[in-house]
Amino acid sequence: MKEIDFRLDLLPHKNRLFRLAMGILLDSAEAEDTVEDTLIRAWEESRTTAIDNVAAYLTTVCRHLALDRAQLRSAQTVELTPEHDRAEEDDSLTHERYVHTLRLIQSLTEPQRSCILLRDVEGLSYQEIADALQLTLEQVKVHIHRGRAKVRDMYSEQ
C-alpha cells in the first residue's frame, strides 16, 4: 500500500475539483466547501484503505458531495452568473453567448452535464470520465453526444 502524501498526491487536484463542484453548484463558497470536504474525506480514507486511482477517487467523491449539496439547496433553479468576469463593451456579445451556453449546459440532465463539464472544461478523456463517474465508456459517449446535441438544438432555437 502506497502511503498518500496530502501535499503531493491530493492538493494538486484542488483546482480541477473546484471547477467540477462549481459547475454543479454554481456557488463559489459552496464549491470551496465541497473541495475541502473532498480532500478531508480522501485524506481520512487513505489512512485506512488503499486508494488505487487518486484522481478518479477524488472526482467521484467531489461529484457526489456537490450533488448532495445541490439537492439540499435546490440548485436546479439557480442561474449561472460568472462572478469574476465583467465584460467590457467590446466583449458583451461574447459574454452573453458564454453565459447563455452555460445556462443551457445547466439545463441538461445530471449525467450529461457532468460528462460535458469533465470532457469540455476539464479535458478528461472518455475513459477517465467513465472511471470517475462509474459509468461505462459507451454511456459516457452517449451522454456527451446527446448533451451536446441538446445544447446545440436549444441554442439554435433561441
Side-chain angles (χ1 to χ4, degrees):
M1 178 169 97
K2 177 188 177 253
E3 186 160 329
I4 291 182
D5 182 83
F6 188 82
R7 267 189 294 159
L8 297 177
D9 297 323
L10 299 178
L11 209 51
H13 297 279
K14 71 180 174 73
N15 291 333
R16 182 179 52 81
L17 296 173
F18 176 79
R19 290 188 300 268
L20 172 63
M22 185 68 178
I24 295 170
L25 294 168
L26 312 174
D27 182 303
S28 62
E30 289 282 329
E32 287 174 3
D33 290 344
T34 301
V35 171
E36 183 178 308
D37 292 346
T38 300
L39 295 174
I40 290 170
R41 184 174 289 185
W43 177 250
E44 290 172 352
E45 182 72 19
S46 72
R47 297 288 137 232
T48 59
T49 309
I51 300 174
D52 295 327
N53 186 342
V54 174
Y57 178 81
L58 290 171
T59 302
T60 301
V61 170
C62 183
R63 179 175 172 265
H64 287 284
L65 289 175
L67 289 173
D68 289 346
R69 283 180 188 260
Q71 276 185 332
L72 289 176
R73 63 180 188 95
S74 302
Q76 302 298 347
T77 60
V78 178
E79 287 190 24
L80 180 62
T81 56
E83 299 171 354
H84 65 283
D85 187 32
R86 291 287 179 223
E88 297 179 12
E89 298 282 330
D90 298 339
D91 295 332
S92 64
L93 185 57
T94 303
H95 176 72
E96 289 174 23
R97 287 180 183 158
Y98 168 76
V99 171
H100 181 64
T101 303
L102 289 176
R103 284 187 184 135
L104 294 176
I105 291 171
Q106 291 304 321
S107 71
L108 297 174
T109 63
E110 169 44 36
Q112 290 174 346
R113 180 175 55 240
S114 291
C115 288
I116 287 177
L117 288 172
L118 289 173
R119 176 69 181 165
D120 296 334
V121 176
E122 297 302 321
L124 296 181
S125 71
Y126 289 107
Q127 188 59 55
E128 290 171 324
I129 296 169
D131 292 343
L133 300 183
Q134 298 172 342
L135 299 171
T136 66
L137 189 60
E138 291 75 24
Q139 288 174 317
V140 170
K141 289 178 181 179
V142 167
H143 286 310
I144 290 173
H145 174 74
R146 289 182 181 167
R148 286 177 179 166
K150 188 173 180 181
V151 168
R152 190 171 35 252
D153 291 345
M154 289 187 300
Y155 194 84
S156 64
E157 288 175 3
Q158 296 177 354

